[in-house]
Amino acid sequence: MRRFLRTGHDPVRERLKRDLFQFNKTVEHGFPHQPSALGYSPFLRLMAIGTRSGAIKLYGAPGVEFMGLHEENNTVMQIHFIPDQCQLVTLLDDNSLHLWSLKQHSGASELREEHLLYLGTESGNIFVVELPSFRVLEDRTITSEAVLQRVPEDYCNRRSCELVEALREHPKNPDQILIGYSRGLIVLWDLQNNKVTHHFLGSQQLENLYWQRDGSKFISCHYDGSYTQWPVSSDNRHPEPLENFVPYGPFPCKAISKIYWQTTKNGLPYIIFQGGMPRASYGDRHSISVVHGSQQIAFDFTSRVIDFFIIFSSEPTAEFDDPSAMVVLAEEELVVIDLKTAGWPAVHPPYLASLHCSAITCSHHVSNIPLKLWERIISAGSKQNIHYSSMPWPIDGGTNIAPDPPQRDLLLTGHEDGTVRFWDASGVCLHLLYKLSTVRVFLTDADPNDNMNPLGEDEWPPLRKVGTFDPYSDDPRLGIQKIYLCKYSGYLAVAGTAGQVLVMELNDEDAEHVVDHAEADLLQDQEGYRWKGHEKLKTRDGPVRFEAGFQPFVLVQCQPPAVVTSLALHSEWKLVAFGTSHGFGLFDHQQKRLVFVKCTLHPSDQLALEGPLSRVKSLKKSLRQSFRRIRRSRVSGRKRRGGSGNASEVQEANAKFDQDTLQEMELAPVQRKIEARSAEDSFTGFVRTLYFADTFLRDSSRHCPSLWAGTNGGTVYAFCLRVPPAERRMDEPVRAEQAKEIQLMHRAPVVGILVLDGRSNPLPEPLEVAHDLSKSPDMQGSHQLLVVSEEQFKVFTLPKVSSKLKLKLTALEGCRVRKVTVANFGSCKTDDYSENDLAVLTNLGDIQIISLPFLKLQIRYPCIRKEDVSGIASCVFTKYGQGFYLISPSEFERFSLSTKWLVEPRCVVDMPEVTSNNHVHKSGMENCSSSPLGTSVNNSRSDTHGDPIGILFQKFRKVFWCLQTSASPTCDEALLTSLFNKQFSCQEYT
């Protein structure tokens, strides 16, 4: 009964656990899912992105990140920074306005939400709201009736002021704002005298307005794909347009939804506009055109453009705009174009990477990369980025005060299009270092030499593809399923959907060579089996040219060409092991020779022969198996209730059983009854894990290399390997012989295998000892084998493989293991203590830390929602107690289980010095003078004491149209709800 007794409370251990373990969700990597709004502050040099889920994220210099979440989780429609302040206002699709502030807290800046307001208005009226109180100034309301008083009678009708489509403050006179109505009427409104000074009668539906820097002209863009230039002078109160231009006419064109007119020193302006493409031929394109003199390019994006802005000189004393960059927020990526460099190349972003440019299919994390390998990977990546601009990142607001990362970490992601991307995961910014493509090895419909950015100079319109997002895969068989990188040798193994296993090595130069091929028949010519899935990929004949970086030198093709489900690489022995739903094999990549294959397929397992891309599902077989399970459980129940012997003996046995059961319930946790799985269940031969170990397998006197494999049916296979010494490595073959076979009682899938040395430490990685980064394993004491199944952890002694210890997770906790890894946890109090524990993710989304070798639960944290199956499946742990999982197709959530290893943003945004100009309003409102809302469209205004009246609505140019939907037709009043304060900092996430 000792094994049922619970251990007592150990205060020393509890204090140590507090020094070792702490759960934090630290930062989100990647591109925001479903972005809906974009804002930029030239004063703070910060960019803000809002999403459909109500999140708002701020970005500045690399490492400067903030995040907040609206309580309502509604779509963010617009974002506007308050000029010369660390504040911004967001508009949601429920017609609510939210004020956010960046404030100092514990030496770092935080993003806080200040107030909440609901505003309703009648069509065409403009209400003025004071900040930060959000008080409606009713005497300053600009009514549609007041506007129509100064408009010619033949143009006066109710529909002229139907919708307020755009508002723009005069760049030289803050007393004037330009109001544009959707029907085409544009008026210049005098805020001091409350009247119209100019009116401009447009004939086309209005989309947007933009002032030229000197205020002498403005540009209007329209639904028919045209833009018009209008003069503004005191001599003519109702001028005619100077120019009306349809850039891609004369055929019907799409609307131009936004336009910039940027002045330059050489006299030629930059005209930048969104849309305007011919409807018939290019109506499905998402484009932004840049025109500068005779140079014109229509940048073509692969996803819908949400919004864009231009970075230019915002100094009030500057005579010209001199634009430097264009920042475009598309639905699936952020693209920045360098407008200073000839050809207008794209700028490589240091963050907001489009992780899902092709769908992510797997991921692999490697900690503490050696400097030499790191530099070689960066060098290979830099050769791929020669088409990118060399300009510094233009969004550089704030200061990153986080300490430098203690080590270099890589996150490798496999993608559906057959690529592997190498990300710098050392710090807050997930930065792309290098991209590897496996497509060149195979014959596909895609040309590997296709240029992503073709530019036809003689074509019209002059389209140029930009961005990296490309969700379409030429062949789903190219998808990467498993990745294994040896950081010491530079060997890389990747495996795919069609049974392909590629072994690569790092080469600093371009090379052309033949890729050797080998086939591994996992069915071993067994009769009665017929593969019903997809065919293998066809390979290229002859030499193939590869770019500098990881270059494949051998291809192992599994037969049948099923998805590779497990992969292991031992760079010291020059061996690679691979497994599918049919079995596993071992390949010697130095001699380029197949060592052995082992078929694990059960005779009744026909589903494993259909393949993942087959649409045939054996419903009849699944139902049959379910009924068999029910029948077995009933039969076993009757057997337990029945039995031999008379009634008194049965009653006595039952009484003794009840007494023992009660005693056991007082001493041990309640255990759930787990039904044993049948060997006839589907996919029992599915190989879940492979593991290399140098351990005692035959006897306790000699250790030898070994390969371990665990299957979905709870079987563990162990093979002894004979690897020739280095001097005879090329002359003698590697030999393998099966030494052990372990069958777990409940046949639960094996998800992890680990060998502990004589000091109960996990065996070091290959070549880790040779590089003096780990102690040599203890080969004197007895080794132990840890087998982790979905239901329990079990320790066996080696070489006898006798059960020593186990932890029943499913029986005790009611959950199943999905991911498991060994992590090293260091104390935050001292550098002298660290320990190895198991980090376990369950199907319920919680993470448990279990001690080694005694399998004691240390702590449990809720991490992922149990309904988020894809998030649980995508989780990857690091060697030092951190982890990543996908919270959307484009975003990784990063978390930490360690008190010592914590990567999170710490940054400060200081208020820049403000230079006042002469345009100051005498409003007499004390609160308004400190935080006026609004700025000119070209952001040249920098006064801090301007009257907020009207300026507010310059910022919320489409707020008025959005808010009309919830207004009563007879109500011109603001509806004010209660205020709430909710704090969101750069360390806190909701």
Side-chain angles (χ1 to χ4, degrees), residues 323-345:
S324 59
M326 176 175 70
V327 181
V328 182
L329 176 67
E331 200 167 36
E332 304 293 352
E333 61 186 329
L334 183 81
V335 178
V336 178
I337 304 297
D338 178 3
L339 299 178
K340 287 289 189 183
T341 304
W344 302 332

Side-chain angles (χ1 to χ4, degrees), residues 489-503:
S489 65
Y491 282 115
L492 172 69
V494 296
T497 303
Q500 68 272 28
V501 180
L502 285 166
V503 185

Side-chain angles (χ1 to χ4, degrees), residues 253-434:
C253 296
K254 292 178 65 178
I256 295 179
S257 57
K258 189 172 184 178
I259 192 167
Y260 281 84
W261 183 290
Q262 300 280 279
T263 57
T264 62
K265 294 177 183 178
N266 64 8
L268 294 174
Y270 278 84
I271 304 172
I272 305 170
F273 55 90
Q274 177 183 349
M277 284 282 147
R279 287 185 181 273
S281 303
Y282 302 94
D284 59 342
R285 300 297 182 99
H286 314 289
S287 67
I288 295 179
S289 299
V290 180
V291 183
H292 183 224
S294 61
Q295 188 178 5
Q296 180 169 348
I297 293 178
F299 292 100
D300 186 16
F301 300 86
T302 55
S303 59
R304 184 173 62 92
V305 174
I306 303 298
D307 201 355
F308 74 101
F309 61 84
I310 306 299
I311 297 178
F312 56 90
S313 176
S314 59
E315 290 295 326
T317 56
E319 185 178 355
F320 304 100
D321 294 311
D322 285 329
S324 59
M326 176 175 70
V327 181
V328 182
L329 176 67
E331 200 167 36
E332 304 293 352
E333 61 186 329
L334 183 81
V335 178
V336 178
I337 304 297
D338 178 3
L339 299 178
K340 287 289 189 183
T341 304
W344 302 332
V347 182
H348 196 57
Y351 48 71
L352 286 176
S354 182
L355 299 174
H356 64 315
C357 47
S358 175
I360 295 176
T361 49
C362 65
S363 55
H364 174 66
H365 188 275
V366 187
S367 300
N368 204 9
I369 302 293
L371 178 60
K372 185 177 180 180
L373 176 62
W374 186 265
E375 291 174 343
R376 293 178 69 189
I377 292 174
I378 291 177
S379 175
S382 63
K383 295 177 182 178
Q384 296 177 335
N385 297 331
I386 57 175
H387 299 295
Y388 281 101
S389 168
S390 59
M391 78 174 297
W393 184 243
I395 305 167
D396 55 1
T399 305
N400 180 16
I401 60 174
D404 292 334
Q407 61 186 27
R408 295 169 293 273
D409 289 354
L410 275 179
L411 179 66
L412 283 67
T413 53
H415 297 265
E416 190 181 43
D417 62 354
T419 59
V420 178
R421 285 169 168 81
F422 291 64
W423 306 92
D424 178 2
S426 311
V428 172
C429 297
L430 194 68
H431 179 61
L432 181 63
L433 298 179
Y434 165 70

Side-chain angles (χ1 to χ4, degrees), residues 848-987:
Q848 302 186 16
I849 299 176
I850 297 172
S851 66
L852 285 175
F854 302 111
L855 304 182
K856 299 295 184 183
L857 177 63
Q858 301 300 297
I859 202 161
R860 180 191 297 107
Y861 301 111
C863 180
I864 310 174
R865 294 181 300 106
K866 64 180 181 181
E867 297 84 8
D868 187 3
V869 178
S870 60
I872 294 173
S874 66
C875 183
V876 56
F877 288 108
T878 77
K879 190 177 179 180
Y880 296 99
Q882 297 185 70
F884 303 81
Y885 69 93
L886 288 171
I887 55 175
S888 74
S890 60
E891 293 172 288
F892 273 113
E893 176 82 78
R894 187 174 190 145
F895 62 88
S896 175
L897 306 170
S898 170
T899 58
K900 186 175 182 179
W901 301 95
L902 192 66
V903 175
E904 62 180 353
R906 283 192 59 81
C907 40
V908 170
V909 176
D910 296 319
M911 281 282 291
E913 186 176 345
V914 180
T915 305
S916 297
N917 62 21
N918 295 324
H919 303 291
V920 178
H921 289 291
K922 310 259 185 211
S923 64
M925 289 182 266
E926 297 177 0
N927 292 336
C928 294
S929 63
S930 62
S931 57
L933 178 61
T935 183
S936 63
V937 174
N938 61 10
N939 295 294
S940 62
R941 176 177 174 270
S942 62
D943 59 312
T944 58
H945 303 286
D947 190 339
I949 298 174
I951 302 174
L952 164 70
F953 301 102
Q954 175 267 317
K955 295 305 296 178
F956 292 111
R957 64 182 191 274
K958 292 189 179 180
V959 167
F960 316 104
W961 173 76
C962 293
L963 296 178
Q964 289 169 22
T965 57
S966 65
S968 166
T970 59
C971 179
D972 283 343
E973 298 180 354
L975 304 177
L976 189 63
T977 65
S978 60
L979 307 178
F980 70 89
N981 289 319
K982 181 71 176 177
Q983 175 178 325
F984 301 98
S985 72
C986 56
Q987 290 92 4

Side-chain angles (χ1 to χ4, degrees), residues 828-841:
C828 62
K829 298 291 183 62
T830 176
D831 295 333
D832 298 332
Y833 182 80
S834 67
E835 65 180 42
N836 292 308
D837 297 287
L838 291 176
V840 180
L841 175 68

